[in-house]
Amino acid sequence: MIYITGDTHGDIERFQDKSLKKLTAEDIIIVCGDFGFIWQGGEKERKTLKALAKKKYTIAFIDGAHENFGRLRSYAQEQWNGGTIHRVANNIIHLMRGQYYTIGSTTVFTMGGGESEESEMNGEDAWSGGSLPNTSELVMGAANIDLHGGKVDVIISHEPSSKIKSILSDQDKLGTMASINALNAFLEQLSENADYKKWYFGSFHIDKRITSKITAVYSDIIPLEI
């Protein structure tokens, strides 16, 4: 079975939830960005990844706005369920941007990336660049959706579409204006043109059902039902 959760930011407690003890090698947890377990390296980080690698289930994640993108790119690429991944460990994989996977009988489209505070302030990302998808990644994503007739069961992204980002930013207690970027615009077009059943995104650190099809996820671990 597929489960969805939000930004983990390197906190292993999410994977120590009692409800996960029942999971088997047939199960997969997808993290909606800001995975955070591949950061600066060091002994503590290696021990944490080793602990995650002992889990029976598969841990799959898209990248978010706060990742060490240079380190992510250093992992070998391979094909997995119809799309390209970075293999971190036997059971830990990075689902790359603009990819289309078939997991069991469920089709999944992934688009990681987001706008970090560092990129906004400095004009570049502090962790080796690449927090936002480039044009080729967006074009690849659109092509992969088109290749499958515009249909996909589940969309996984870190950021939401521009419309939803504006709504959630308006509801923010600080009243901050939404920063709409090319990724949000791409996701808005995707929401209007793709035939999908469910969409999950992270970034906002809230657990909230936006519509019957779209859910913002953070600490919840949601079993996928479509």
Side-chain angles (χ1 to χ4, degrees), residues 175-208:
T176 54
M177 292 290 291
S179 174
I180 304 301
N181 52 57
L183 171 59
N184 303 129
F186 170 87
L187 296 173
E188 184 64 38
Q189 288 295 310
L190 186 64
S191 70
E192 294 174 358
N193 298 323
D195 181 3
Y196 66 94
K197 297 176 182 178
K198 297 289 183 180
W199 187 327
Y200 298 92
F201 67 92
S203 182
F204 273 79
H205 291 191
I206 58 173
D207 293 291
K208 183 175 184 178

Side-chain angles (χ1 to χ4, degrees), residues 17-183:
D17 191 288
K18 292 181 180 179
S19 66
L20 302 183
K21 291 184 177 180
K22 64 182 180 180
L23 270 57
T24 71
E26 302 300 315
D27 297 309
I28 178 171
I29 296 178
I30 300 178
V31 180
C32 294
D34 283 358
F35 184 58
F37 290 95
I38 302 166
W39 198 242
Q40 291 179 297
E43 186 62 23
K44 182 179 179 180
E45 186 173 298
R46 284 191 290 272
K47 286 182 178 179
T48 302
L49 283 173
K50 187 175 181 180
L52 291 178
K54 291 180 180 178
K55 301 296 184 182
K56 295 179 181 179
Y57 50 85
T58 296
I59 299 170
F61 66 96
I62 63 170
D63 52 275
H66 304 98
E67 312 282 2
N68 190 320
F69 296 97
R71 288 193 64 202
L72 276 183
R73 290 192 293 266
S74 72
Y75 288 97
Q77 293 184 21
E78 63 180 76
Q79 291 299 297
W80 180 82
N81 289 344
T84 307
I85 64 166
H86 285 119
R87 175 76 64 179
V88 177
N90 185 53
N91 69 321
I92 305 173
I93 58 176
H94 172 219
L95 305 176
M96 296 176 67
R97 299 171 180 176
Q99 298 297 302
Y100 194 107
Y101 306 94
T102 301
I103 305 173
S105 61
T106 303
T107 56
V108 178
F109 175 77
T110 56
M111 183 56 76
E115 191 165 40
S116 68
E117 293 83 359
E118 291 88 353
S119 63
E120 290 175 350
M121 290 186 295
N122 304 328
E124 59 183 15
D125 186 73
W127 294 103
S128 305
S131 64
L132 283 169
N134 58 38
T135 300
S136 64
E137 289 169 330
L138 297 177
V139 170
M140 179 189 300
N144 279 332
I145 287 289
D146 288 344
L147 185 63
H148 293 87
K151 295 183 178 182
V152 66
D153 292 326
V154 184
I155 296 173
I156 303 290
S157 63
H158 181 61
E159 289 212 11
S161 67
S162 55
K163 185 181 295 184
I164 290 177
K165 187 173 186 178
S166 294
I167 291 171
L168 292 178
S169 295
D170 287 343
Q171 294 173 351
D172 189 286
K173 63 183 180 180
L174 298 177
T176 54
M177 292 290 291
S179 174
I180 304 301
N181 52 57
L183 171 59

